[in-house]
Amino acid sequence: MGGDGGGGVVGFVGLDLFSFELASSLLRSGFKVQAFEISTETVEKFTELGGCRCDSPADVGKGAAAVVVLLSHPDQIQDVIFGDEGVMKGLQKGAVLLLSSTISPLHLQKLEKQLAEGKEQIFVVDAYVLKGMSELLDGKLMIIASGRSDSITRAQPYLTAMCQKLYTFEGEIGAGSKVKMVNELLEGIHLVAAVEAISLGSQAGVHPWILYDIVSNAAGNSWIYKNHIPLLLKSDIDGRFLDVLSQNLGVVEDKAKSLPFPVPLLAVARQQLILGISQIHGDDTSTSLAKIWEKVFGVGILEAASKELYKPEDLAKEITGQAKPVKRIGFIGLGAMGFGMAAHLLKSNFSVRGYDVYKPTLVRFESVGGLAANSPADVTKDVDVLVIMVTNEVQAEDVLYGHLGAVEAIPSGTTVVLASTVSPAFVSQLERRLENEGKDLKLVDAPVSGGVKRAAMGELTMMASGTEEALKSAGLVLSALSEKLYVIRGGCGAGSGVKMVNQLLAGVHIASAAEAMAFGARLGLNTRKLFNVISNCGGTSWMFENRVPHMLDNDYTPYSALDIFVKDLGIVTRDGSSRKVPLHISTVAHQLFLAGSAAGWGRIDDAGVVKVYETLGRVKVEGRLPVLKKQDVLKSLPSEWPFDPTDDIHRLNMGKSKTLVVLDDDPTGTQTVHDVEVLTEWSVESISEQFRKKPACFFILTNSRSLSSEKASALIQDICSNICAGSKEAGNADYTVVLRGDSTLRGHFPQATDAAVSILGEMDAWIICPFFLQGGRYTIDDVHYVADSDRLVPAGETEFAKDASFGYKSSNLREWVEEKTAGTIPANSVESISIQLLRTGGPDAVCEFLCSLKKGSACIVNAASDRDMAVFAAGMIQAEQKGKSFLCRTAASFVSARIGIIPKDLVLPKDFASDKESSGALIVVGSYVPKTTKQVEELQLQHKQKLRSIEISVEKVALKSSEVRAAEINRAVEMADAFLRSGRETLIMSSRELITGKTSSESLDINSKVSSALVEVVSQITTRPRYILAKGGITSSDTATKALKARRALVIGQALAGVPVWKLGPESRHPGVPYIVFPGNVGSSTALAEVVKSWSVVAGRSTKELLLNADNGGYAIGAFNVYNLEGIEAVVEAAEEENSPAILQVHPGAFKHGGIPLVSCCISAAEQAKVPISVHFDHGTTKHELLEALELGFDSVMVDGSHLSFTENVSYTKSITDLARSKNMMVEAELGRLSGTEDGLTVEDYEAKLTNVHQAQEFMETGIDALAVCIGNVHGKYPESGPNLKLDLLKELHSLSSKKGVVLVLHGASGLPEKLIKECIENGVRKFNVNTEVRKAYMDALTSGKKTDLVDLMSATKAAMKAVIADKIRLFGSAGKA
């Protein structure tokens, strides 16, 4: 709408700090802005920017399309809006009123109702303005707008131009105030929790600044913690802050009471604030906040903060640098985390003996190279270090001191590493007990965090404490298990103290997120939008951003069980009690988790604590992403970047740009490119050859989606190794690797990406970009959508997300990354390039953003158009030329944008020599997505005459014996060969009932067997098809590489948007045969049928189309009367041999004898012909005949009313034409009357009439498509003197008909000399009726007496007719025009 801004006027009533920025943004976007403001200084600044000053609110409204009104108090409404000088006095009908306010929603709703009752049609929108707090939107303006749908739509252009981020809530106005309450609830709880955490840590002897540094980079972080704790520790904030916050929380608490809705965390947080305020004496508000909290908690925070600082990471480096060698490790506790840790130690070349109470785990541990022990005592044999990774203190006590405990058998001098989360007090007590054993046993307190996957990769965060000797003894083990290792001073228990503080915050933040989201749901807010807003506000936290998506998806798969926080917060509250630190917030949070556990939710994900609120408040937090109207969404986006970057991309690619090497997990990735080579094998020689050609891009078909995760990873590693080697052989060619994957998010992610990185090395960023316009895949506001007609469906709600092998739940790509990486890459750490950045900043902004990313980041790309994709590609190339490296996981659109592909026309059979082939086409379908099934059904419906289907039983080829499988394959091969030889389009498909395994690997195995069966069928077919179409990614890959033995191919272009066509290489079984790769998830339900139709030998049977082509080409088409099978075959064979269109013509006399079988033979022959043939009903002289003909499948009819008066002829012709139009049939009619005899119908010379030009003009108004003219032509034989055609009359008629779009037809072409035929064609005749000469040839052959056998006689008569027909075809000029 920015482009419309030049003519739009926006007014402002009041210019505070925020609204001044809003007005400035509008001015920069080209809008005219006028404002009323009493501050002279502000007005001067405003006018300097180009704004216009107004003298009153009424003046602001004059001529304005939208007015922004600042309201800070309800009392302002009457004066500012409705007063004598109020806005309404000047506001025009249909204007937008934007209320920038924080007053109660009730007052805003009352105002909206008051305006609705007036005569003026005013669109009211509540616009709450705030500054973003996240890294992405730090300091940038955000607007939360709410109102009716039509009001939001009307206000959208102005709102978008005013801010960097817009959130809209359709429905009642007042959403901004409600979101503000939710945010303040979180900020208040987080503040008190942060102070509790710092107080408890300080009392436990951990330096506050060290606590801050560690926790602010861990799961316990929040915006409040990150930004307020430094101010607290520096005494840079005074007590007045508490009073304001307490008042705000009081408003929220009152609102919760009025609903009613329980907010226990908010209530206790507010009480703590009130307690803090009570420590301020009189009017002395200058007391530092730190001093106030010291009084409340009884902890010397500032004294602790003033102690000498150190760097835990540096201590860790010192310890590991002086670490003692370790030969043998004992490991107790092989649960999810423990098994990964122990397995990684094995990979790090340690000898590890493990023990777990669950015996199958021991068997699994042995399978990866570990030694299994029978008891904790047995595990300690000859160990240097014993690692304990059990659930809680009780289990730790049992494995050490219980029956067959480790301590009784442990060797002297052993170091025990306790990695479990336990209380600092337990650790201190355990250290003393171990010392008392008299074995010189040492203890390292080393709690861990990071999750199961990071445990297996040796990338945990560890907080270790203990004596220097103990730490050095275990240093190599700690280093092997961790990515971040912190050594905490203060002796054993200090590490657990840090972990305890982190868990305090993490637990409170999960519980507060639950309280906030449930409260938001009770307020009637869209919870998913609420989450998006809060994630950019001061109420956010690491846990809020990580756990709320679980609540929104109602998915409580336990990444971390609720009962863990029952334990961990129990440790916190117990330790707080022992240290005399009051932990009100932590205690209430603990009670909430206890309530959840007591309700039976202990083993679900810890985000399940929200169920406590849902149950008590009778609300649902779940917020499924809505299905959106595509056009509405696309219209709401900012205007595209105005400059096409394609030329810049070409210029950059010609410079230092890298070659794009696309590893395609199935062949459908070529669906947006042309003139690009595809390798189906990846030898170093082949890759090196490609690099030497210096292409912008080449593809390597991996087909990895059909493999297991392990095999796919190994394959990617193998290919990447060969790419590296091929690059070196080609002179160190520079390249970027793209892992082209499915646009509906299926495939091996992140396994394939991890595999590539393991060979290519760490990249600056992973780029994730599934946008694919041709397939209707859009990424907007980080959510990936699949277009379904005019709707945008979140990808996680589609059938693709239910894929048996690659299913997923998240539509938000940030959350999808977290889901697919099992939490290793949290959603809140995934970077995002927004559509707004692409469309307002262009390639330079993209380059700057990419260059600013932290190394190893994952970055998603939003896009809603090919221009967006091109802008991103140009920016990425710029970043690469500045030295950045990227690994891309994208759909097909990125590839074409990155190499600057310019689209070309769709590929058709005429682009290949295959359009001369006589065999049928081979269509192979293996895809099971519902879209494919619908497409196959439509194909069979539309092409039932010529299509032959062969269904291969999935059960027989995948689940039965090898004999049954072989018999099923042989059956399919025999049928396919027969159908193809007869010229039939042959469909081979797996049975449509989807059969899946019990696991994803079993499903993949079934898919593999089905695919291999299809491969065997295709490889055994001996007939060369006219073209091959493979439907589905895995199917198309296996068909090309295994069945057809193709090692390389050239992408020619697309048969349909998103459907690539390959030309197979010379080494393949069918060199040069067009190979159409049809993705399983592309196109409408009719798309497959459309491609098969456009690739048919004959594009259709339309008589009108044949004649229009003839008119454009300046030739004529022969319409040959037929009476029997021999005549039909003679016409078709002659036309095919001459590569000419032709018309099979049935006269009423022939129909009288041949009937429906004759017509059926004509239609069948036309459908199977290799050239365009249509079927025409000639000389329908009665309505009865023509009505019957209209129902029999003719392509066109001739209405012969020549025996009627002109008026009757017009009426008769028009009535039939109207009926034929409804059936899309061409109509020919006759004006004038021919003499002569045809099929027993005789017109005497005296009855003959020439066509009247003046009557012809009126006659053509009947809607006919073709006019049979009478210019001296006759049916049957011409007199001995020869024909006498009135060519001047023909010329006049042609001049008239060409203006009307009507083609001319000449009956009685038999016997016309070549010169006359040519002159007729020059004067517009496009159809010649031929009968007499063909009949004569038939009769002559029949009566010659040379053939006596019936079969020989049939052959002779056909040959005789065929010769005459071929001569006529050449004479008419249609030869070679098919």
Side-chain angles (χ1 to χ4, degrees):
M1 186 70 187
D4 297 335
V9 179
V10 182
F12 280 78
V13 176
L15 289 172
D16 64 1
L17 187 63
F18 281 170
S19 60
F20 187 87
E21 285 194 46
L22 300 180
S24 301
S25 295
L26 285 166
L27 286 167
R28 288 193 296 271
S29 297
F31 288 88
K32 297 176 183 176
V33 184
Q34 56 196 33
F36 168 72
E37 168 57 47
I38 58 176
S39 168
T40 305
E41 183 180 352
T42 303
V43 169
E44 287 177 358
K45 290 180 182 178
F46 174 65
T47 54
E48 286 175 8
L49 291 175
C52 179
R53 176 182 174 274
C54 294
D55 295 325
S56 68
D59 287 344
V60 169
K62 292 176 180 177
V67 173
V68 181
V69 179
L70 270 65
L71 294 173
S72 57
H73 195 277
D75 293 344
Q76 293 178 300
I77 293 175
Q78 196 60 38
D79 288 340
V80 174
I81 305 294
F82 299 106
D84 292 339
E85 293 292 321
V87 172
M88 291 303 297
K89 294 295 182 182
L91 204 59
Q92 59 190 13
K93 184 178 180 180
V96 176
L97 188 63
L98 295 165
L99 304 174
S100 179
S101 167
T102 56
I103 64 176
S104 167
L106 292 175
H107 293 292
L108 296 177
Q109 289 160 15
K110 183 179 178 182
L111 169 59
E112 182 184 35
K113 184 178 180 182
Q114 191 173 351
L115 288 168
E117 291 172 350
K119 294 181 181 179
E120 305 87 354
Q121 186 184 5
I122 303 298
F123 295 90
V124 183
V125 172
D126 167 35
Y128 173 53
V129 186
L130 67 165
K131 287 282 183 85
M133 303 293 188
S134 65
E135 287 186 21
L136 184 65
L137 292 172
D138 188 23
K140 295 178 180 178
L141 281 185
M142 304 192 305
I143 294 178
I144 303 169
S146 58
R148 297 194 319 268
S149 176
D150 56 346
S151 298
I152 292 289
T153 301
R154 185 66 69 98
Q156 191 106 25
Y158 314 109
L159 295 167
T160 302
M162 284 193 287
C163 65
Q164 280 75 38
K165 189 66 179 178
L166 172 66
Y167 298 98
T168 59
F169 290 77
E170 292 183 2
E172 283 187 338
I173 62 174
S177 299
K178 294 175 182 178
V179 172
K180 179 174 179 282
M181 285 192 280
V182 175
N183 187 63
E184 288 173 342
L185 175 150
L186 285 164
E187 287 183 348
I189 296 169
H190 292 175
L191 177 68
V192 176
V195 178
E196 284 190 3
I198 287 296
S199 299
L200 180 62
S202 298
Q203 195 75 341
V206 182
H207 199 294
W209 282 110
I210 289 173
L211 266 179
Y212 172 77
D213 288 341
I214 294 175
V215 174
S216 62
N217 289 293
N221 190 32
S222 69
W223 189 91
I224 289 290
Y225 184 87
K226 181 109 176 168
N227 291 276
H228 278 256
I229 291 302
L231 299 176
L232 181 77
L233 296 179
K234 293 175 183 177
S235 293
D236 281 352
I237 186 169
D238 60 43
R240 286 173 294 187
F241 170 75
L242 294 183
D243 194 39
V244 175
L245 184 55
S246 176
Q247 289 180 33
N248 290 341
L249 293 190
V251 173
V252 180
E253 191 174 2
D254 288 343
K255 180 65 178 178
K257 290 175 183 175
S258 71
L259 290 172
F261 188 84
V263 283
L265 290 170
L266 168 68
V268 75
R270 184 168 178 242
Q271 291 304 309
Q272 283 289 75
L273 294 176
I274 292 170
L275 180 58
I277 293 168
S278 71
Q279 305 302 312
I280 301 173
H281 299 293
D283 296 328
D284 183 15
T285 56
S286 62
T287 306
S288 76
L289 197 56
K291 291 290 186 184
I292 293 171
W293 289 128
E294 283 185 334
K295 293 177 182 178
V296 170
F297 289 95
V299 177
I301 299 172
L302 294 176
E303 182 184 350
S306 65
K307 291 182 179 178
E308 182 184 357
L309 263 174
Y310 64 94
K311 292 187 175 181
E313 303 98 314
D314 292 346
L315 283 183
K317 290 177 183 176
E318 290 178 21
I319 292 296
T320 55
Q322 302 171 30
K324 297 177 181 179
V326 175
K327 295 181 181 178
R328 288 171 295 276
I329 299 172
F331 205 107
I332 300 176
L334 300 174
M337 288 275 286
F339 188 92
M341 293 166 69
H344 185 74
L345 290 172
L346 289 170
K347 291 178 184 177
S348 303
N349 298 318
F350 290 102
S351 172
V352 185
R353 181 187 295 272
Y355 172 74
D356 195 272
V357 293
Y358 188 56
K359 300 307 177 187
T361 298
L362 291 176
V363 175
R364 181 177 165 223
F365 185 59
E366 286 181 310
S367 71
V368 297
L371 302 172
N374 297 318
S375 67
D378 186 33
V379 89
T380 61
K381 291 179 182 177
D382 302 323
V383 298
D384 302 309
V385 174
L386 173 64
V387 181
I388 298 174
M389 186 60 188
V390 293
T391 302
N392 51 39
E393 296 172 3
V394 173
Q395 291 182 3
E397 170 77 19
D398 186 58
V399 299
L400 286 168
Y401 291 100
H403 178 62
L404 298 177
V407 170
E408 67 180 47
I410 198 168
S412 297
T414 299
T415 299
V416 177
V417 176
L418 182 58
S420 306
T421 299
V422 295
S423 68
F426 177 83
V427 176
S428 300
Q429 182 187 32
L430 178 60
E431 184 182 39
R432 290 192 296 271
R433 291 174 69 185
L434 290 174
E435 287 174 354
N436 293 335
E437 292 294 326
K439 293 184 176 183
D440 189 27
L441 301 178
K442 297 173 283 292
L443 177 65
V444 173
D445 169 31
V448 301
S449 68
V452 175
K453 190 166 185 180
R454 288 191 178 276
M457 296 170 68
E459 296 179 353
L460 291 168
T461 296
M462 302 188 80
M463 293 145 280
S465 60
T467 64
E468 186 174 333
E469 184 182 1
L471 289 165
K472 288 179 179 178
S473 298
L476 293 180
V477 176
L478 300 176
S479 178
L481 290 173
S482 63
E483 181 182 46
K484 292 181 181 178
L485 176 61
Y486 300 102
V487 170
I488 311 298
R489 286 178 180 169
C492 257
S496 284
V498 174
K499 179 68 184 289
M500 175 180 66
V501 170
N502 183 71
Q503 294 305 92
L504 179 159
L505 288 165
V508 170
H509 292 163
I510 294 172
S512 64
E515 184 165 299
M517 294 306 296
F519 180 52
R522 185 67 181 84
L523 289 171
L525 293 170
N526 179 310
T527 51
R528 193 167 288 273
K529 287 186 178 182
L530 174 63
F531 166 70
N532 290 334
V533 178
I534 298 296
S535 295
N536 287 304
C537 293
T540 193
S541 67
W542 194 97
M543 280 298 187
F544 179 88
E545 294 181 33
N546 188 269
R547 295 303 201 266
V548 171
H550 303 182
M551 303 175 193
L552 295 173
D553 292 338
N554 196 26
D555 178 10
Y556 299 106
T557 304
Y559 290 111
S560 173
L562 186 148
D563 274 344
I564 290 176
F565 274 103
V566 172
K567 178 199 73 166
D568 289 358
L569 287 178
I571 290 171
V572 169
T573 56
R574 190 166 66 248
D575 200 80
S577 297
S578 68
R579 298 183 191 278
K580 305 295 187 291
V581 180
L583 304 175
H584 298 82
I585 285 281
S586 306
T587 301
V588 173
H590 185 219
Q591 291 300 311
L592 289 167
F593 282 103
L594 276 169
S597 183
W601 302 319
R603 294 190 177 185
I604 67 172
D605 189 76
D606 50 34
V609 71
V610 75
K611 289 179 175 289
V612 175
Y613 288 97
E614 289 181 328
T615 303
L616 293 173
R618 299 188 300 280
V619 296
K620 287 293 290 183
V621 169
E622 180 181 6
R624 290 191 176 275
L625 285 164
V627 175
L628 305 175
K629 290 184 178 179
K630 184 169 73 172
Q631 288 306 315
D632 290 352
V633 173
L634 297 182
K635 283 180 182 177
S636 72
L637 299 175
S639 299
E640 290 184 344
W641 180 248
F643 310 108
D644 185 354
T646 304
D647 288 342
D648 291 336
I649 291 171
H650 288 157
R651 178 177 51 78
L652 291 166
N653 283 337
M654 290 174 66
K656 299 181 294 181
S657 182
K658 302 177 179 182
T659 294
L660 211 64
V661 183
V662 184
L663 308 191
D664 200 356
D665 70 357
D666 71 33
T668 62
T670 58
Q671 59 202 151
T672 58
V673 301
H674 56 78
D675 302 310
V676 172
E677 288 198 66
V678 180
L679 302 180
T680 65
E681 54 85 29
W682 39 87
S683 64
V684 174
E685 294 76 18
S686 296
I687 294 172
S688 176
E689 179 186 345
Q690 284 295 320
F691 278 130
R692 287 192 183 94
K693 294 178 182 177
K694 297 182 179 179
C697 169
F698 65 90
F699 280 73
I700 298 176
L701 176 57
T702 69
N703 200 27
S704 57
R705 206 186 305 171
S706 66
L707 305 176
S708 67
S709 177
E710 294 76 15
K711 290 180 179 178
S713 295
L715 176 65
I716 296 298
Q717 288 176 325
D718 180 41
I719 294 173
C720 287
S721 296
N722 288 3
I723 290 172
C724 293
S727 166
K728 289 179 181 177
E729 281 194 9
N732 292 317
D734 210 356
Y735 58 89
T736 291
V737 170
V738 174
L739 301 174
R740 203 296 304 183
D742 179 47
S743 63
T744 58
L745 307 180
R746 297 170 300 168
H748 293 292
F749 178 85
Q751 295 84 355
T753 316
D754 289 335
V757 168
S758 71
I759 301 299
L760 303 175
E762 186 178 13
M763 301 289 165
D764 287 296
W766 291 3
I767 303 298
I768 300 166
C769 181
F771 166 78
F772 176 40
L773 183 66
Q774 291 87 340
R777 321 289 191 247
Y778 301 84
T779 307
I780 300 169
D781 288 336
D782 300 339
V783 176
H784 195 53
Y785 293 97
V786 175
D788 180 9
S789 186
D790 61 344
R791 307 181 309 149
L792 290 179
V793 182
E797 304 297 324
T798 66
E799 72 264 22
F800 306 114
K802 300 175 179 63
D803 188 279
S805 303
F806 303 110
Y808 56 92
K809 296 176 181 176
S810 304
S811 301
N812 183 293
L813 288 183
R814 290 170 179 255
E815 296 165 18
W816 177 81
V817 170
E818 177 178 317
E819 178 186 344
K820 300 304 284 187
T821 61
T824 302
I825 303 177
N828 52 5
S829 72
V830 178
E831 301 288 350
S832 170
I833 290 181
S834 68
I835 287 177
Q836 186 149 5
L837 183 141
L838 293 170
R839 297 190 174 191
T840 59
D844 291 346
V846 172
C847 174
E848 182 181 352
F849 185 94
L850 291 175
C851 290
S852 71
L853 293 177
K854 180 181 176 183
K855 194 172 183 69
S857 298
C859 178
I860 64 172
V861 181
N862 289 273
S865 71
D866 281 334
R867 176 66 58 85
D868 293 338
M869 203 74 273
V871 168
F872 172 75
M876 177 179 157
I877 296 172
Q878 289 180 29
E880 286 180 323
Q881 294 188 350
K882 290 185 177 183
K884 296 296 179 180
S885 59
F886 304 103
L887 180 63
C888 306
R889 196 280 185 195
T890 78
S893 289
F894 167 78
V895 177
S896 56
R898 173 61 176 72
I899 62 177
I901 283 283
I902 298 174
K904 70 175 190 178
D905 291 340
L906 296 178
V907 178
L908 293 170
K910 62 182 177 60
D911 300 312
F912 291 84
S914 63
D915 65 339
K916 306 298 188 293
E917 297 274 357
S918 61
S919 58
L922 180 61
I923 303 161
V924 187
V925 176
S927 170
Y928 280 99
V929 296
K931 177 170 282 190
T932 291
T933 300
K934 291 178 184 176
Q935 289 173 339
V936 169
E937 290 171 353
E938 192 66 31
L939 171 67
Q940 292 173 318
L941 180 65
Q942 290 191 25
H943 295 267
K944 56 186 175 184
Q945 293 292 337
K946 197 168 183 181
L947 182 73
R948 294 294 177 266
S949 300
I950 304 169
E951 187 173 281
I952 297 174
S953 167
V954 171
E955 185 179 10
K956 288 181 179 179
V957 298
L959 303 176
K960 297 293 185 181
S961 67
S962 58
E963 292 80 10
V964 172
R965 174 186 169 89
E968 180 70 358
I969 290 171
N970 289 336
R971 177 188 69 85
V973 171
E974 290 174 0
M975 293 176 68
D977 264 324
F979 293 153
L980 289 171
R981 282 195 302 271
S982 66
R984 299 285 185 174
E985 317 295 44
T986 304
L987 168 65
I988 300 176
M989 63 178 178
S990 51
S991 52
R992 293 291 87 194
E993 181 184 357
L994 178 59
I995 298 177
T996 59
K998 295 178 181 177
T999 65
S1000 61
S1001 60
E1002 284 185 13
S1003 295
L1004 267 177
D1005 185 54
I1006 291 172
N1007 290 345
S1008 179
K1009 287 179 178 178
V1010 173
S1011 183
S1012 67
L1014 290 171
V1015 165
E1016 289 182 55
V1017 171
V1018 175
S1019 63
Q1020 293 178 39
I1021 293 172
T1022 57
T1023 307
R1024 177 184 168 95
R1026 195 170 70 257
Y1027 69 86
I1028 301 168
L1029 185 153
K1031 187 83 169 73
I1034 295 173
T1035 303
S1036 53
S1037 176
D1038 285 351
T1039 301
T1041 58
K1042 298 175 182 177
L1044 302 176
K1045 308 297 182 187
R1047 296 172 65 82
R1048 63 182 59 219
L1050 179 66
V1051 184
I1052 302 299
Q1054 279 70 47
L1056 192 71
V1059 180
V1061 183
W1062 295 3
K1063 183 177 182 180
L1064 299 178
E1067 77 292 340
S1068 67
R1069 286 185 59 227
H1070 298 305
V1073 166
Y1075 185 63
I1076 301 174
V1077 179
F1078 205 125
N1081 57 10
V1082 164
S1084 66
S1085 60
T1086 62
L1088 180 58
E1090 289 169 12
V1091 170
V1092 172
K1093 179 181 179 180
S1094 65
W1095 276 72
S1096 296
V1097 175
V1098 184
R1101 288 174 36 221
S1102 166
T1103 306
K1104 184 175 182 177
E1105 186 177 335
L1106 298 189
L1107 297 182
L1108 287 176
N1109 289 340
D1111 198 39
N1112 291 331
Y1115 59 88
I1117 295 174
F1120 302 96
N1121 284 44
V1122 293
Y1123 301 85
N1124 55 17
L1125 183 60
E1126 292 90 331
I1128 295 168
E1129 289 181 340
V1131 174
V1132 173
E1133 289 182 15
E1136 287 181 340
E1137 290 178 11
E1138 296 297 329
N1139 192 30
S1140 169
I1143 299 172
L1144 292 168
Q1145 195 158 263
V1146 178
H1147 190 278
F1151 180 66
K1152 182 178 179 181
H1153 294 285
I1156 292 175
L1158 175 63
V1159 178
S1160 298
C1161 285
C1162 289
I1163 292 171
S1164 180
E1167 287 177 340
Q1168 296 182 61
K1170 301 177 181 65
V1171 292
I1173 302 283
S1174 70
V1175 184
H1176 178 72
F1177 184 73
D1178 195 27
H1179 284 291
T1181 58
T1182 70
K1183 204 164 192 178
H1184 173 76
E1185 289 174 340
L1186 287 166
L1187 290 176
E1188 186 175 5
L1190 290 177
E1191 300 300 325
L1192 291 178
F1194 285 100
D1195 303 298
S1196 53
V1197 296
M1198 180 199 173
V1199 182
D1200 185 358
S1202 61
H1203 58 290
L1204 303 172
S1205 68
F1206 176 70
T1207 303
E1208 290 173 326
N1209 191 0
V1210 168
S1211 176
Y1212 174 53
T1213 301
K1214 188 174 190 316
S1215 66
I1216 299 299
T1217 300
D1218 290 343
L1219 291 172
R1221 279 280 175 271
S1222 67
K1223 298 179 178 295
N1224 199 29
M1225 292 172 66
M1226 193 204 86
V1227 175
E1228 172 190 338
E1230 185 171 350
L1231 185 60
R1233 200 169 192 202
L1234 266 64
S1235 64
T1237 299
E1238 183 176 27
D1239 289 348
L1241 296 175
T1242 301
V1243 177
E1244 300 296 342
D1245 290 342
Y1246 67 85
E1247 295 178 293
K1249 291 183 293 186
L1250 296 179
T1251 303
N1252 182 295
V1253 175
H1254 300 295
Q1255 288 182 339
Q1257 183 164 359
E1258 181 181 347
F1259 193 66
M1260 290 180 192
E1261 299 299 329
T1262 58
I1264 59 172
D1265 303 287
L1267 176 65
V1269 297
C1270 302
I1271 58 170
N1273 44 318
V1274 301
H1275 285 135
K1277 293 182 179 181
Y1278 283 94
E1280 291 184 8
S1281 58
N1284 180 24
L1285 302 188
K1286 311 295 184 185
L1287 295 179
D1288 289 344
L1289 175 57
L1290 178 61
K1291 189 177 293 186
E1292 283 188 76
L1293 290 168
H1294 180 225
S1295 175
L1296 177 63
S1297 67
S1298 60
K1299 295 174 185 176
K1300 299 287 187 180
V1302 175
V1303 297
L1304 300 182
V1305 177
L1306 195 71
H1307 289 217
S1310 294
L1312 289 178
E1314 181 177 348
K1315 182 174 182 296
L1316 265 180
I1317 292 288
K1318 300 285 187 186
E1319 287 181 293
C1320 287
I1321 293 173
E1322 287 174 9
N1323 286 288
V1325 172
R1326 297 296 173 242
K1327 173 175 175 265
F1328 286 106
N1329 284 15
V1330 181
N1331 186 11
T1332 303
E1333 290 180 71
V1334 178
R1335 283 165 61 117
K1336 183 177 184 304
Y1338 178 84
M1339 294 303 296
D1340 289 347
L1342 192 64
T1343 58
S1344 68
K1346 294 179 181 179
K1347 304 291 184 183
T1348 56
D1349 183 79
L1350 178 60
V1351 173
D1352 293 337
L1353 196 59
M1354 291 168 64
S1355 178
T1357 54
K1358 183 172 76 172
M1361 289 187 287
K1362 181 176 163 184
V1364 173
I1365 293 165
D1367 284 342
K1368 294 297 182 186
I1369 284 173
R1370 291 190 289 271
L1371 179 60
F1372 300 154
S1374 64
K1377 299 298 196 300

